[in-house]
Amino acid sequence: MTATILIVEDEKLIAEMIQFNLEKQGYDVHVAYDGILAVQKVEVVKPDLILLDIMLPGLNGFEVCRQVRKNHSTPIIMLTAKETESDKVQGLNLGADDYITKPFSPQELLARVNAQLRRANVFNIQEQVNENKMQFGNLAIDTQKYEVYKDQKLIALTIREFELLSFLASNADKVYSRSDLLHEVWGYKEFFGDDRTVDVTVRRLREKIEEMPSAPQYIITKRGVGYYFRRR
């Protein structure tokens, strides 16, 4: 089945270039040139992945991401012309799965897109066949329904947050470096990712599952190495 991708980009030449390269790979591509239209198209098109520029008329990319995340776990890759750390962190904090800085090569873009779709597809397959449930103290992970409960209350996670938690919990007490996690969770076969992507996602996840995010009990930092999930 052909994946559907929504490009949200106000610069038509860039949008057309991205669309051309994605359609060459067989993807069904739709384009929105402003933030308001993007939010509307998400509901109509129901894309499998969103490429989302930050600087947009109507609603900026951050606001679009915020609104999409209210009802959808669709993978989102932010497109930004800015190199500032704050822009990258803000996008990840709002629920984006990854970001790519302009200018970028078609090869890098396709690698990012393919990685996100590959992981999302793995999730869809697992949802049908995996009936495992994991329980750690007050934390319950249902890998069949893609749900996490803390003190029996459902916690809203993005796909990437759930996959990171599920992966670490499934390999409890084993330490993984940031590059390991970019490979295992984000699906990057080549190192296109940024360590900061992992750090922000871990921090966002801790804020949702830990009693005290500043003193985590589940997702632990191994200084100088990476992260691991600690059994309680």
Side-chain angles (χ1 to χ4, degrees):
M1 184 176 177
T2 302
T4 299
I5 298 175
L6 176 61
I7 301 169
V8 187
E9 169 63 69
D10 64 322
E11 295 187 43
K12 291 190 175 183
L13 288 177
I14 294 177
E16 289 172 356
M17 179 272 291
I18 296 173
Q19 183 176 11
F20 173 77
N21 283 286
L22 292 176
E23 287 181 342
K24 277 205 313 181
Q25 301 299 311
Y27 292 120
D28 178 25
V29 182
H30 299 258
V31 180
Y33 295 108
D34 66 72
I36 295 173
L37 181 59
V39 173
Q40 296 171 349
K41 279 202 168 188
V42 168
E43 301 303 324
V44 175
V45 174
K46 301 190 183 307
D48 298 296
L49 181 141
I50 302 170
L51 293 170
L52 178 60
D53 189 29
I54 291 179
M55 303 300 292
L56 294 168
L59 297 174
N60 66 34
F62 297 133
E63 183 58 31
V64 172
C65 185
R66 182 183 290 109
Q67 292 199 25
V68 169
R69 278 289 173 258
K70 289 179 181 178
N71 300 305
H72 303 281
S73 59
T74 309
I76 297 174
I77 301 176
M78 303 290 288
L79 307 177
T80 174
K82 299 181 178 180
E83 285 283 3
T84 59
E85 191 77 6
S86 60
D87 286 319
K88 298 175 181 179
V89 171
Q90 185 175 352
L92 293 170
N93 279 334
L94 289 172
D97 297 279
D98 199 5
Y99 57 82
I100 183 170
T101 303
K102 301 175 185 175
F104 48 80
S105 68
Q107 292 78 12
E108 181 180 2
L109 176 68
L110 289 172
R112 301 281 187 113
V113 167
N114 291 336
Q116 294 294 336
L117 289 172
R118 185 165 55 246
R119 303 308 297 179
N121 186 56
V122 167
F123 252 53
N124 290 335
I125 294 172
Q126 289 177 341
E127 185 172 7
Q128 300 172 18
V129 302
N130 193 339
E131 298 180 356
N132 293 331
K133 294 182 180 180
M134 293 181 281
Q135 182 78 43
F136 301 92
N138 67 340
L139 195 67
I141 304 170
D142 189 325
T143 55
Q144 181 182 25
K145 297 180 179 178
Y146 297 91
E147 293 177 345
V148 175
Y149 292 85
K150 177 183 175 183
D151 296 321
Q152 299 183 337
K153 294 182 180 179
L154 181 63
I155 301 172
L157 300 180
T158 66
I159 287 178
R160 196 63 60 237
E161 290 165 355
F162 181 90
E163 191 167 25
L164 176 60
L165 175 61
S166 179
F167 176 78
L168 289 173
S170 297
N171 298 277
D173 298 323
K174 182 175 180 179
V175 181
Y176 289 90
S177 69
R178 292 166 178 82
S179 59
D180 288 338
L181 293 172
L182 285 169
H183 174 75
E184 297 289 348
V185 178
W186 275 259
Y188 293 141
K189 295 183 179 180
E190 299 179 59
F191 189 79
F192 284 118
D194 186 327
D195 285 354
R196 189 62 174 166
T197 304
V198 177
D199 293 338
V200 173
T201 306
V202 167
R203 178 166 59 81
R204 201 169 64 222
L205 188 54
R206 281 172 171 166
E207 290 171 354
K208 295 181 179 182
I209 70 169
E210 302 281 4
E211 295 294 335
M212 295 180 60
S214 60
Q217 297 299 308
Y218 290 115
I219 301 180
I220 310 301
T221 301
K222 186 71 171 180
R223 191 174 298 278
V225 183
Y227 298 103
Y228 69 97
F229 186 96
R230 180 168 62 191
R231 297 179 189 274
R232 296 182 68 181

